[in-house]
């Protein structure tokens, strides 16, 4: 039952109707009020209140005014005895209900086990479904404790049945192999671990793991018909178990746990191998280029002051055109002939020469070190392709596989061997691959094949059988699209008719160009002009003027500190948990929970704080005064703190913040700004990559921050992965109650494919265009006479509407795949990256992107306020990034751990802790702003800069004390 009720809600829900008055007619005083409360509470909640405090005080006051009884008398209403029993029987008779029995509970547990548990693992949702069924059967739902027992019983029955079925499908032979695996604890521990740092040794180790799993020969029918969610739950449970824990389980449960772990690890190991392969090939290239660059730099360093020498040579040639070279040029060069010879060597180091040396380095490092990976890799991975354009690559892989195991050291392929060259060997490599007699040399050819394979894998044109993320790209698309096309189009808000879609786009494009042309004519574009720079058209966009600084926000923050003093960051997390109840999101991956909820909540807060500040669990245990040891905290971390649970907790806090916010101060959550921040991380983590701009190794965390400084989504990504995919992922997956319609992003989001997909998905992309000066616009047709002022920047060719219309259905299909998450966003967008042959859908997406980008560019150039809005929006995410360092201070902000799961948990814990700070600060600021003196003091600039993301009143350090019996007074005057 909700605690707070608005006046109109009270009237709608708690008003006594005609029949209600007949029931309470024979009661008076306290009994009359108590009966009315019980009656309406039962009507609304389908059950009786368990204690007086469960009844909302506002409802008691409202009903007291209706029945003409002092609401204070409700405290005298007896919750035991004959009167309340009689009232309950009367109310049950009216609604035709009855209390539950033991037989009901047993029947409900069987219903849960057979109907819901096969598809649902969340116990809260199971409890909600149980209460809904009780109401449909006109049976009062059991108490909270009884509901938990029924749900636990249903889950236990399902687990037992599922384990028995799985063990039966495995058969005695497979079960024996699983038992043997359990007898090798080191092997089991390695099997559960993520890949180590990028390197050949890691690749070979992962191949060994995959061989171990495949040796179990688990049949595909083992988990046939089982929900992926159920198998994932068993896998998560097994991943956190030690060999001794497996031994404590019964045979069917133990075998099911091991089978779920090994079955899911097969696809994960294949995915890891693909990522290792692509990473290693990239590393071979990069290191070769660096070696050559270093060599050339060393050679060129012998000629200092080259620019000055060239200047003197040119001046001397112009001044003495009739003199000989020896007389005119030699004297002006310091060092004479020796210096000129050094310069000649430099000039001879052309791009072609450098490329040849790179190939030489590549060949050397591959043949002497990396080549030994080829045979086991080809034996472990089965490559497939659906695109005929990549048939030569597949034939080349087959050729390599045939020769990989022959053990011969022959340098060339056999004279009669058919070796695919076109589509595999770049033109620059032909001389180094094919000898004078026309035969192909094996080592450079193998390297060309691997480079071509990496390129094809990254674009999803070649896939790997048995993979998860790198599976057949056709499986990314929804299988029911043809049968439910109208439903999918309606969900995206797109018309079924392609002509209607292109017609609407064409009108928007025409209107956008007209709007910009008119703004330039009237001078209302904020100083935007189309000029000529270095002989080419250029769009001149003036810098925006600085807005006045907010004058009262510093005093407002000081007022918060004056009223509440310095607040410990741990207490902010604790009070957020009390108000939002986010600790309820942390269910156990084990089959049962033995910790009581109060103890668990306390330990969870300590663990989450340790992870969110990066101080670590060990440090939390030794610096705190909580009477909890490191072992207890690590148990909670391993059993309860998962990525899924953390995401649910973050969503709960975000939704609670949105509900608590006053729109007068914060507005509506309809737009976000997205950007990434680099965090240093251990190089033993496979995701760790070198970032050229930051000059160090690490990972990226990509944030989606709403304009009120509330981060709705976070995701971990490698430095080289697509930021466009991350942007779209956050818009689709944030899962909060925020209705996001637009997204501000930096130039990284302004790709044609990004514009196309956000248009199809119904979002407005608002990037900051740093290269706006060189932009070119597209006209809807060949006739461009209507926009004379835009003539210089209009492309001569119009938009190909036929191309868009022809591929419209397929584009919507890909957008539906993103919406339904039948594949990861990053993997879907890999098919539409630059390089290689372009499929028709890719060409259509680019053409659609040109249309949408032109429409946006017209608005961007015509409207100075839009440009300012985008800049202000991006400052929001920068503000969020600046707070990361203040909160994630432990271990110098380095993400520790050598696996992706640990890194993601650290990221989400930081997200949760920072969101808790925003939640509490929002409450504190609103308390102050309810004071008319403060509300009237804020200027327009103050309102624009108002932010709950500040920490001047927060203490994140010290010896940590967690007192669960104290609360922060959010009404402090």
């Amino acid at each position: 039952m909700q605690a707070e009720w608005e006046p109109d809600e009270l009237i709608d829900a708690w008003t006594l109707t005609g029949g209600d008055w007949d029931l309470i007619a024979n009661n008076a005083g306290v009994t009359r009020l108590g009966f009315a409360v019980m009656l309406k509470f039962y009507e609304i909640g389908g059950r009786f209140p368990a204690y007086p405090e469960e009844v909302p005080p506002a409802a008691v006051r409202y009903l007291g005014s209706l029945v003409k009884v002092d609401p204070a008398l409700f405290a005298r209403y007896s919750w035991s005895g004959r009167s309340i029993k009689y009232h309950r029987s009367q109310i049950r008779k009216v609604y035709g209900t009855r209390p539950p029995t033991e037989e009901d509970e047993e029947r409900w547990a069987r219903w849960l086990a057979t109907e819901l548990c096969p598809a649902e693992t969340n116990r809260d949702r199971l409890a909600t479904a149980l209460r809904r069924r009780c109401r449909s059967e006109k049976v009062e739902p059991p108490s909270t404790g009884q509901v938990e027992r029924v749900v636990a019983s249903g889950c236990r029955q399902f687990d037992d049945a599922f384990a028995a079925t799985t063990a039966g499908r495995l058969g005695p032979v497979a079960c024996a192999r699983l038992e043997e695996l359990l007898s090798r604890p080191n092997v089991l521990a390695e099997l559960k671990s993520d890949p180590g740092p990028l390197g050949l040794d890691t690749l070979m180790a992962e191949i060994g793991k995959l061989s171990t799993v495949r040796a179990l020969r688990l049949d595909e029918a083992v988990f046939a018909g089982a929900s992926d969610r159920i198998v994932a739950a068993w896998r998560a449970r097994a991943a956190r178990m030690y060999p001794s824990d497996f031994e404590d389980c019964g045979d069917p449960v133990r075998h099911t746990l091991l089978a779920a772990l090994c079955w899911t690890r097969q696809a994960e190991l294949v995915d890891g191998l693909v990522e290792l392969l692509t990473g290693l090939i990239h590393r071979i290239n990069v290191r070769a280029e660096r070696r050559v660059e270093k060599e050339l730099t060393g050679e060129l360093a012998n000629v200092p002051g080259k620019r000055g020498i060239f200047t003197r040579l040119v001046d001397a040639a112009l001044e003495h055109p009739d003199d000989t070279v020896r007389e005119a040029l030699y004297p002006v060069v310091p060092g004479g002939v020796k210096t000129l010879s050094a310069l000649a060597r430099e000039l001879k180091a052309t791009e072609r020469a450098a490329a040849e040396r790179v190939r030489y380095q590549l060949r050397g490092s591959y043949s002497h070190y990396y080549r030994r990976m080829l045979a086991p890799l080809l034996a472990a991975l089965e490559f497939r392709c659906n695109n005929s354009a990549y048939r030569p690559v597949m034939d080349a892989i087959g050729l390599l596989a045939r020769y990989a195991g022959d053990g011969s050291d022959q340098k060339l392929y056999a004279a009669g061997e058919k070796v695919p060259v076109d589509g595999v060997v770049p033109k620059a490599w032909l001389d180094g691959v094919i000898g004078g007699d026309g035969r192909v040399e094996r080592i450079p050819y193998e390297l060309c094949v691997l480079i071509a394979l990496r390129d094809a894998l990254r674009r999803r044109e070649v896939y790997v059988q048995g993979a998860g993320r790198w599976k057949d790209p056709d499986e990314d698309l929804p299988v029911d699209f043809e049968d439910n096309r109208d439903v999918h189009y309606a969900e995206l808000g797109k018309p079924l008719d392609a002509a209607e879609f292109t017609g609407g786009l064409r009108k928007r494009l025409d209107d956008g160009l007209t709007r910009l042309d008119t703004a330039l004519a009237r001078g209302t574009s904020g100083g935007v002009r189309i000029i000529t720079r270095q002989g080419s058209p250029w769009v001149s966009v003036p810098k925006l003027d600085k807005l006045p600084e907010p004058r009262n926000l510093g005093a407002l923050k000081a007022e918060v500190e004056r009223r509440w003093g310095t607040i410990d960051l741990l207490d902010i997390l604790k009070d957020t948990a009390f108000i939002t109840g986010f600790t309820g999101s942390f269910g156990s991956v084990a089959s049962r929970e033995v910790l009581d909820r109060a103890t668990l909540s306390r330990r969870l807060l300590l663990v989450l704080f340790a992870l969110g500040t990066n101080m670590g669990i060990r440090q939390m245990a030794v610096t705190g005064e909580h009477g909890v040891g490191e072992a207890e905290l690590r148990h909670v971390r391993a059993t309860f703190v998962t990525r899924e649970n953390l995401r649910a907790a973050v969503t709960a806090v975000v939704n609670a913040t949105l509900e608590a916010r006053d729109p007068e101060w914060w507005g509506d959550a309809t737009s976000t700004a997205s950007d990434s921040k680099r965090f240093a991380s251990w190089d033993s983590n496979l995701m760790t990559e070198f970032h050229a701009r930051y000059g160090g190794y690490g990972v990226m965390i990509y944030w989606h921050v709403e304009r009120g400084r509330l981060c709705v989504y976070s995701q971990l990504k490698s430095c080289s992965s697509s930021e466009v995919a991350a942007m779209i992922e956050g818009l689709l997956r944030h899962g909060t109650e925020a209705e996001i319609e637009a997204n501000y992003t930096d130039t990284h989001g302004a790709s044609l494919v990004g514009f196309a997909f956000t248009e199809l998905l119904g979002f407005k992309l608002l990037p900051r265009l740093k290269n706006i000066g060189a932009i070119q616009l597209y006209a809807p047709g060949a006739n461009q006479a209507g926009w004379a002022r835009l003539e210089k920047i209009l492309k001569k060719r119009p938009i190909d509407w036929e191309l868009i219309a022809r591929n419209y259905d397929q584009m919507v299909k890909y957008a539906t795949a993103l919406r339904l998450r039948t594949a990861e966003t990053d993997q879907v967008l890999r098919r539409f990256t630059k390089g290689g042959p372009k499929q028709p859908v890719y060409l259509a997406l680019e053409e659609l992107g040109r249309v949408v980008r032109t429409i946006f560019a017209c608005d961007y150039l015509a409207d100075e306020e839009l440009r300012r809005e985008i800049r202000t929006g991006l400052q929001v995410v920068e503000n969020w990034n600046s707070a990361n360092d203040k909160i994630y201070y432990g271990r110098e902000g380095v993400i520790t751990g050598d696996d992706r799961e640990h890194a993601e948990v650290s990221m989400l814990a930081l997200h949760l802790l920072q969101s808790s700070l925003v939640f509490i600060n929002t409450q504190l600021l609103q308390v102050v702003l309810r004071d008319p003196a403060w509300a009237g003091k804020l200027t327009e600039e103050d309102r624009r800069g108002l932010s709950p993301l500040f920490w001047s009143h927060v203490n994140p350090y010290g010896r940590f004390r967690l007192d669960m019996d104290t609360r922060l007074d959010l009404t402090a005057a």
Side-chain angles (χ1 to χ4, degrees), residues 412-417 419 421 430-431 433-441:
L412 304 172
Y413 286 107
E417 187 68 66
V419 181
V421 174
L430 287 174
D431 292 341
V433 172
I434 303 176
D437 58 354
R439 295 178 65 185
V440 176
E441 189 174 346

Side-chain angles (χ1 to χ4, degrees), residues 679-701:
F679 284 72
S681 62
W682 285 6
D683 58 7
S684 56
N685 191 326
L686 183 59
M687 293 192 70
T688 300
E689 291 180 352
F690 182 83
H691 198 293
R693 187 174 69 184
Y694 295 101
Y697 287 88
V699 296
M700 307 295 288
I701 298 181

Side-chain angles (χ1 to χ4, degrees), residues 86 294 401 501 503 520 598 695 821:
Y86 179 65
K294 188 175 181 180
F501 174 73
L520 292 175
R821 204 171 190 173

Side-chain angles (χ1 to χ4, degrees), residues 109-121:
R110 290 194 300 271
W111 169 72
L112 288 172
T114 56
E115 299 295 332
L116 297 188
C117 289
E120 181 58 72
T121 58

Side-chain angles (χ1 to χ4, degrees), residues 13-16 20 36-45 63:
W14 293 87
T15 299
L16 296 168
D20 299 334
V37 168
M38 299 289 279
L39 176 65
K40 298 307 293 183
F41 192 102
Y42 194 89
E43 178 186 332
I44 297 169
L63 286 172

Side-chain angles (χ1 to χ4, degrees), residues 79 204 220 229 244 270 327 354 438 454 474 506 531 574 588-589 744 746 804 860 869:
W79 288 78
M204 303 303 286
E220 292 185 2
R229 186 180 298 177
S244 58
V270 172
E327 293 174 349
R454 176 183 184 268
D474 291 341
R506 188 164 189 153
I531 60 177
K574 175 194 68 177
S588 173
V589 299
Y744 309 106
D746 222 326
I804 297 175
Y860 185 86
E869 176 189 339

Side-chain angles (χ1 to χ4, degrees), residues 299-304 306 309-310 334-349:
E299 289 182 6
L300 302 180
N302 296 324
V303 188
K306 290 183 289 293
I309 294 173
F310 288 138
V337 177
K338 184 178 179 180
T339 302
L340 287 172
S341 299
L343 283 172
R345 288 197 301 271
E346 175 181 345
L347 294 174
K348 289 177 182 178

